Amino acid sequence: MTPTAPAGAPAAAQGPAGGDAPSAREVAGRRWRSSRAIVAVLLALAVIAVILAALRPSVSPDALDPESPGRDGSRALAEILKRNGADLSVARSTRDALRASTPRTVLVVTRTERLTTDDIDRLRATPGELVLVVPGPDVLEALAPGVEPAGVSFTRTAAPGCGLQAATLAGTVDFGRSDTYTATDPLAACYRTDIGHRLVQVRHHGRTVTVLGSARPFTNEHLEREGDAALAMNLAGAEPSVVWLIPDPPEPGAERQKSLGDLLPFGVKLFVLELLVAVLLVALWRARRLGPVVAEALPVVVRSAETVEGRARLYRASRARDRAADALRAGARERIVPLLGLPRSSAQDFGAAREIVAAVAQRTTFEDAQVGAVLYGPEPADDAALIALTDVLDDLERQVRQS
Amino acid sequence: MALTGRLGLLALLGAAVPLLLPGWGALFAVWGVLLLGVVADLALAGNVRALRLHRHGDTSVRLGETARVTLTVENLGRRRLKGRLRDVWPPSAGATPRTVRVDVPAGERRRIEMTLTPTRRGDRRAVTVVVRSTGPLGLAARQLSRSAPWTVRALPAFPSRRHLPAKLARLRELTGAHVALIRGQGTEFDSLREYVVGDDVRSIDWRATARRADVVVRTWRPERDRRIYLVLDTGRTSAGRVGDIPRLDCSMDAALLLGALASRAGDRVDLLAYDRRVRTRVEGASRTDLLPAMVHAMAPLEPELIECDAAGMVSTLMARVRQRCLVVLLTELNTAAIEEGLLPLLPQLTSRHLVMVAAVSDPRVGEMAAGRGDLASVYDAAAAERARADRRRITAELRGHGVEVVDAPPDEIAPALADAYLALKAAGRL
């Protein structure tokens, strides 16, 4: 360590044991190593999200519409029903559906996600049979109490395995991805999976309610698969007249506001709760310090030149050109006088002014009067004059030094 | 007690459970498993209380160098102790590593090598040793502080010791190894030898010549066993930083060089540090002990933000030294402090002793005085000129009282002070 190295400075800590600062490559490598676990987890989450989104079936706006000829429309089924003599009426709202219903009609309810709570209440009053195609949980609760969702089955086809005539006649049916249900006291439960049944029929308020977990048997695309068409026709054509309710999307604001909590499934709420617990645990982990913070009395840091700098600022603030010029002149005289061979004490002695001026003028290109004005002159008139004075003093000193 | 990141990660993974199996039951099951893991870990973690800690290693280190302290962890418990250990030192001790992984099986011991590179002078005490003992599952840990006292004293760096060989060479010249000396003031009789051509005829010892056939001359050497009293001013003016070093540290460096030189020259050196009371004192140290004693005495000194009590210092000095000595006062040429404090008392001091004042000047003032160009620089230059004029005036006044003044920038003060001492010795003025 050299004597000029700051002994008290942090730089001194980089002594023999400190070593060099790490290079950018090392820093990047260290950050990568410390963060790669987090990056991996985030990537895995993203991949899972993408896979889940891809697995979800997409639904077009006119799916299950009896007037739509699209792949997931239901025009084919509607035509077959009409040709078989059924009296099919299409309702676009629950009011229309109720008006058209009689005790001898089958009301096929599709696209239940478009039903508002008022619609669901209204449907309770329907007089005839009900067929609910992939109902949402609130519809299921209101119109088929006792039927509980049991999960999702991905087994495509299934045999009836029950005594319901509509199913046994249809035989094996292609459901694709299908919701399943469990019921406490069903009239019939068909197309069994490990976790529940794809088709459940219950009796509620004196009417038969059939819940079907898949919309496939009703779509144009899958109508000719297995016994799909037969199942759909048997369910819808159980009575001579059919009312096909496909509600229009509700007007914005038509439904009373549901909070986010109502819309979230219960599992998601628990998920969020568990996330909060995890965050709390991580916070507790990070908050616990390994040992105390050590307080230490630090040395006073006062720069030695601070008083001098403070005086300079005071001079400037009060525009003390006179004092500044005096100090500069005195300093210059102090350096010039020994060079002239005069005693040091004469530098600040005004009695020796004439002698000094003459000696300086003799050794420089300046006149006596000029030298007198520079070394002993009056206060500079403005700031520019003060700066000019320093330049002339420097010039004078250099010339004396070189003479 | 402390939790681990693994517990948080498990809780995060457990968040997937209610998505797959909605219901409170699943969530409570997750919590139950986590709680069970935590309890098991706390119960099975190695016992920190059963550790025995020892230290050995360096107790002092020169500032800027690295000390090694070994911490031995002995596990007297019945279970293996696994986890992290932090040896807690003050920040300015520069202790590394900050934390260490420890794995001590029951009945065994492990050594942890700590390196300390202090950034400031003074005593650095180990605060505590914190051990976090993680359980076998790694979900929770027991944490406890254990004391393992140790002190490392950071000594002044003494960077000017590189000047010592050159100054000692000059000293040998003075003591007659190389030049024939003439009699002068402040010298003492050394020996008699035969006259050779070129010797000063005034040094012929006629009495000895008469006893022998040859002409005999006396030789002389500089006085030995003079007393030098180094006085460090630790008051407010010593706290100012010159460059990045407190003025006190520069003064210490100069005092150490002078002490080393004077003790080799056969003089007795004493040290006193004073502001309003005696901060430290080294008196009567032998030649070989002097430097270590001075270094250890100086190590814990810090500048105090109080005005130095010059009267108290002079009276302390007068009371302690009766015989004539060289008083070297390491202070700052501060107009107010010197004029009001020291100057009125100087006659009292100089009547019995030879006084030398050594002050560290600030190169920044020189830089400011050379500033030109814009208005701010010119006012800076004016203020710097004013400061220099004040310093010159004080120096002149001190010299008027017969005081030697050494005024030099920080990297030159130590050799300059040594030179001034050698000059006094050569002139026999000690």
Side-chain angles (χ1 to χ4, degrees):
Chain A
M1 198 172 142
T2 62
T4 49
Q14 308 271 340
D20 296 327
S23 70
R25 186 194 171 86
E26 286 166 352
V27 171
R30 203 171 56 220
R31 290 199 180 143
W32 164 242
R33 277 191 296 282
S34 62
S35 61
R36 63 186 166 188
I38 298 165
V39 171
V41 167
L42 288 179
L43 272 181
L45 282 179
V47 167
I48 290 170
V50 167
I51 290 173
L52 284 179
L55 281 178
R56 271 194 98 79
S58 60
V59 178
S60 65
D62 51 2
L64 294 180
D65 190 329
E67 284 160 12
S68 161
R71 292 156 69 98
D72 50 2
S74 298
R75 188 156 154 191
L77 182 62
E79 290 299 325
I80 297 169
L81 283 171
K82 277 183 198 159
R83 219 168 285 168
N84 282 9
D87 173 19
L88 178 82
S89 57
V90 176
R92 296 278 166 189
S93 71
T94 44
R95 287 176 204 283
D96 293 346
L98 282 180
R99 213 171 292 136
S101 319
T102 64
R104 297 201 32 87
T105 51
V106 175
L107 177 58
V108 180
V109 185
T110 62
R111 308 298 298 269
T112 56
E113 75 275 11
R114 292 181 181 175
L115 292 174
T116 63
T117 14
D118 294 343
D119 288 336
I120 296 170
D121 286 343
R122 232 171 268 141
L123 283 178
R124 284 179 206 271
T126 178
E129 249 181 70
L130 268 173
V131 175
L132 307 175
V133 182
V134 202
D138 41 356
V139 174
L140 203 59
E141 196 184 331
L143 301 181
V147 180
E148 296 289 338
V152 178
S153 164
F154 291 93
T155 316
R156 271 184 59 203
T157 58
C162 66
L164 185 67
Q165 202 183 7
T168 49
L169 287 176
T172 308
V173 172
D174 175 6
F175 288 100
R177 177 192 178 280
S178 170
D179 290 350
T180 62
Y181 307 94
T182 55
T184 42
D185 185 21
L187 287 179
C190 308
Y191 304 108
R192 201 169 161 273
T193 67
D194 298 339
I195 44 178
H197 296 87
R198 295 186 178 88
L199 188 150
V200 176
Q201 201 166 51
V202 291
R203 193 130 188 103
H204 177 57
H205 282 305
R207 61 167 182 257
T208 312
V209 181
T210 312
V211 181
L212 185 62
S214 169
R216 239 184 214 208
F218 291 78
T219 55
N220 295 337
E221 188 184 7
H222 297 98
L223 208 58
E224 86 279 356
R225 299 265 177 88
E226 305 282 353
D228 283 21
L231 179 67
M233 285 177 59
N234 292 342
L235 288 177
E239 299 286 345
S241 83
V242 181
V243 178
W244 191 297
L245 171 62
I246 172 155
D248 285 331
E251 297 285 315
E255 188 170 12
R256 70 181 161 80
Q257 211 66 43
K258 274 187 173 178
S259 71
L260 187 67
D262 297 335
L263 295 172
L264 282 178
F266 185 57
V268 174
K269 287 182 200 165
L270 292 184
F271 168 75
V272 172
L273 178 66
E274 177 64 14
L275 275 191
L276 287 178
V277 170
V279 167
L280 181 75
L281 289 177
V282 169
L284 285 175
W285 164 48
R286 298 308 302 173
R288 184 77 163 107
R289 208 178 15 237
L290 190 58
V293 172
V294 183
E296 188 181 17
L298 289 175
V300 192
V301 179
V302 193
R303 283 185 307 116
S304 164
E306 216 160 55
T307 47
V308 182
E309 283 165 6
R311 175 176 279 152
R313 280 193 287 271
L314 276 178
Y315 278 170
R316 189 144 57 107
S318 57
R319 300 181 188 286
R321 283 188 292 273
D322 52 343
R323 287 183 177 277
D326 281 352
L328 289 166
R329 282 168 172 151
R333 286 201 302 271
E334 193 75 34
R335 287 187 294 273
I336 288 173
V337 163
L339 298 171
L340 298 174
L342 296 168
R344 257 179 198 280
S345 57
S346 63
Q348 311 309 338
D349 179 9
F350 287 95
R354 193 175 297 279
E355 197 183 346
I356 292 170
V357 168
V360 170
Q362 197 190 340
R363 289 171 176 240
T364 60
T365 55
F366 292 96
E367 297 292 324
D368 271 21
Q370 279 176 304
V371 173
V374 170
L375 286 182
Y376 294 97
E379 174 191 351
D382 53 14
D383 292 343
L386 181 63
I387 294 173
L389 175 69
T390 61
D391 294 339
V392 180
L393 280 172
D394 285 351
D395 194 19
L396 205 65
E397 198 183 325
R398 200 182 58 250
Q399 288 195 21
V400 171
R401 215 173 276 281
Q402 286 169 355
S403 65
Chain B
M1 173 186 158
L3 303 178
T4 64
R6 194 180 289 181
L7 183 70
L9 192 65
L10 274 186
L12 195 66
L13 292 177
V17 172
L19 283 187
L20 301 174
L21 299 165
W24 281 106
L27 200 58
F28 281 128
V30 170
W31 290 347
V33 167
L34 292 182
L35 188 68
L36 214 63
V38 168
V39 169
D41 260 353
L42 288 178
L44 296 176
N47 190 358
V48 181
R49 281 193 176 80
L51 289 185
R52 189 189 286 165
L53 304 170
H54 323 269
R55 282 186 200 272
H56 60 93
D58 300 339
T59 51
S60 64
V61 60
R62 196 174 271 158
L63 190 64
E65 293 178 4
T66 301
R68 288 176 200 289
V69 176
T70 306
L71 176 69
T72 309
V73 182
E74 189 179 358
N75 188 356
L76 301 177
R78 279 171 302 162
R79 286 189 299 272
R80 183 193 197 95
L81 185 135
K82 218 172 157 179
R84 298 184 75 78
L85 179 147
R86 180 178 160 217
D87 193 3
V88 188
W89 290 81
S92 69
T96 52
R98 199 180 125 78
T99 65
V100 200
R101 285 193 179 282
V102 284
D103 183 359
V104 193
E108 295 190 18
R109 60 178 70 181
R110 292 283 181 272
R111 289 163 58 146
I112 295 157
E113 302 287 341
M114 297 292 297
T115 59
L116 282 84
T117 314
T119 53
R120 280 191 287 122
R121 254 185 318 105
D123 288 345
R124 300 287 166 266
R125 286 185 179 80
V127 179
T128 178
V129 173
V130 183
V131 184
R132 181 178 287 186
S133 160
T134 314
L137 299 173
L139 297 181
R142 290 201 225 169
Q143 182 173 324
L144 203 68
S145 287
R146 294 291 308 275
S147 96
W150 192 260
T151 304
V152 171
R153 174 167 282 194
L155 306 173
F158 193 14
S160 65
R161 65 182 181 280
R162 65 200 166 90
H163 295 295
L164 194 57
K167 302 303 170 199
L168 284 175
R170 288 236 3 239
L171 185 70
R172 273 194 298 275
E173 282 181 24
L174 289 180
T175 52
H178 299 288
V179 290
L181 282 161
I182 54 163
R183 181 183 185 175
Q185 200 191 357
T187 55
E188 58 190 21
F189 174 70
D190 184 32
S191 63
L192 292 171
R193 63 168 169 79
E194 282 184 19
Y195 175 83
V196 283
V197 178
D199 279 345
D200 190 346
V201 289
R202 282 177 296 177
S203 57
I204 294 175
D205 186 337
W206 294 109
R207 196 177 302 223
T209 304
R211 279 202 295 270
R212 298 173 56 172
D214 294 324
V215 180
V216 172
V217 294
R218 291 179 184 181
T219 58
W220 308 88
R221 60 170 188 184
E223 290 166 310
R224 293 173 70 86
D225 293 321
R226 300 286 105 188
R227 240 186 130 170
I228 297 181
Y229 219 101
L230 300 171
V231 181
L232 277 175
D233 172 8
T234 56
R236 64 172 179 91
T237 52
S238 69
R241 291 192 169 226
V242 182
D244 202 30
I245 313 175
R247 194 167 256 131
L248 181 64
D249 285 36
C250 300
S251 301
M252 282 181 184
D253 189 39
L256 283 172
L257 182 64
L258 182 55
L261 185 63
S263 68
R264 298 280 189 95
D267 292 330
R268 284 170 49 207
V269 181
D270 299 317
L271 172 78
L272 175 74
Y274 198 92
D275 39 61
R276 298 198 82 82
R277 61 187 175 86
V278 177
R279 297 286 303 283
T280 189
R281 194 161 56 201
V282 176
E283 278 178 347
S286 73
R287 234 180 92 172
T288 46
D289 291 346
L290 177 74
L291 215 53
M294 278 176 73
V295 158
H296 274 276
M298 285 176 180
L301 282 185
E302 290 292 341
E304 295 281 325
L305 288 189
I306 46 178
E307 187 73 47
C308 182
D309 173 18
M313 186 173 74
V314 168
S315 61
T316 308
L317 212 55
M318 298 301 278
R320 299 205 74 81
V321 270
R322 300 278 171 209
Q323 73 194 89
R324 177 186 153 84
C325 70
L326 170 67
V327 174
V328 180
L329 182 56
L330 294 131
T331 181
E332 157 66 349
L333 294 175
N334 181 285
T335 323
I338 296 280
E339 281 187 339
E340 287 164 27
L342 191 62
L343 270 183
L345 302 162
L346 265 183
Q348 193 189 343
L349 204 58
T350 49
S351 65
R352 200 191 292 169
H353 303 300
L354 177 60
V355 180
M356 186 190 273
V357 171
V360 183
S361 64
D362 193 345
R364 169 84 186 120
V365 176
E367 284 170 29
M368 283 171 71
R372 293 290 184 269
D374 59 343
L375 195 62
S377 316
V378 168
Y379 278 123
D380 276 0
E385 289 290 3
R386 171 78 195 276
R388 284 212 260 189
D390 285 348
R391 219 176 163 88
R392 273 196 300 267
R393 188 164 51 77
I394 286 289
T395 307
E397 271 185 69
L398 286 173
R399 291 206 168 119
H401 281 84
V403 173
E404 295 287 323
V405 180
V406 179
D407 185 11
D411 47 348
E412 290 164 25
I413 180 75
L417 185 62
D419 285 342
Y421 162 77
L422 288 174
L424 284 179
K425 199 158 183 71
R429 284 184 57 200
L430 287 182

